[in-house]
Amino acid sequence: MPLILYGHPFFSDTQKALIALYENATPFAFRSLDPDSPGSAAEWLQRWPLRKFPLLVDGERSIVETSIIIEYLPLAHPGPVRLLPDDPMAALGAAAPALFYADWPHPIGADYPAVTAYRARLLARPSFARAVDEARRFRKLFPLGAPAGD
Ligand SMILES: N[C@@H](CCC(=O)N[C@@H](CS)C(=O)NCC(=O)O)C(=O)O
């Protein structure tokens, strides 16, 4: 049975789980929790009454919490791309998609070229670019408006 991921494409926690799955081309079915897919929400609430997403379902097992999902995937469904560095301290520093969204209300600016370049490298990564693209139609949900450049 393929993995099932429940989440909303515009939310950063969901995007982190999507990126982890895309990185290794792990087969999964995505159940989007947006108003156009009411069946998915009903299914999700049945599986996880605490109403938090993302939720990964692997057969009989439900995995919640983004970081646990990202730790679970290499153990249960390993692929060629390492999702976490060996150094546990380095593993605490996930930047995407938080850095992506942080720039919208507070542009990082020319004073921080390394951060700007890091953000650009993240966006150039196919797994993250795909997650960003798939969420594009939800940008109207961002109260302050999304910049045209991204
Ligand atoms: N620490 C959790 C946070 C999950 C979480 O709060 N998700 C939000 C969306 S990003 C949610 O489910 N909100 C719905 C609610 O709180 O009812 C994780 O990383 O998975």
Side-chain angles (χ1 to χ4, degrees):
M1 188 190 296
L3 295 169
I4 303 172
L5 182 73
Y6 295 86
H8 192 291
F10 196 57
F11 284 84
S12 55
D13 290 339
T14 300
Q15 290 179 350
K16 285 187 206 171
L18 285 169
I19 292 165
L21 290 158
Y22 292 156
E23 280 290 332
N24 278 312
T26 307
F28 74 104
F30 184 54
R31 302 271 194 273
S32 182
L33 300 175
D34 67 79
D36 295 338
S37 321
S40 296
E43 226 178 87
W44 161 63
L45 289 177
Q46 203 175 15
R47 290 180 188 271
W48 193 236
L50 294 185
R51 295 173 172 259
K52 293 288 181 191
F53 59 82
L55 164 70
L56 183 73
V57 175
D58 188 3
E60 294 301 308
R61 185 178 279 164
S62 290
I63 302 106
V64 291
E65 287 292 331
T66 315
S67 51
I68 296 175
I69 291 172
I70 293 169
E71 288 176 37
Y72 175 80
L73 285 171
L75 300 174
H77 301 274
V81 176
R82 262 188 333 140
L83 299 180
L84 296 164
D86 290 332
D87 175 4
M89 287 300 279
L92 301 176
L99 194 55
F100 171 69
Y101 285 128
D103 182 67
W104 288 7
H106 298 287
I108 295 164
D111 287 346
Y112 302 97
V115 181
T116 303
Y118 184 33
R119 186 176 182 277
R121 285 200 305 280
L122 290 170
L123 275 165
R125 198 154 176 101
S127 60
F128 185 44
R130 179 173 168 185
V132 166
D133 270 344
E134 289 171 346
R136 211 168 277 277
R137 71 190 174 99
F138 296 104
R139 287 188 176 193
K140 58 181 180 301
L141 298 176
F142 197 76
L144 301 175
D150 280 329

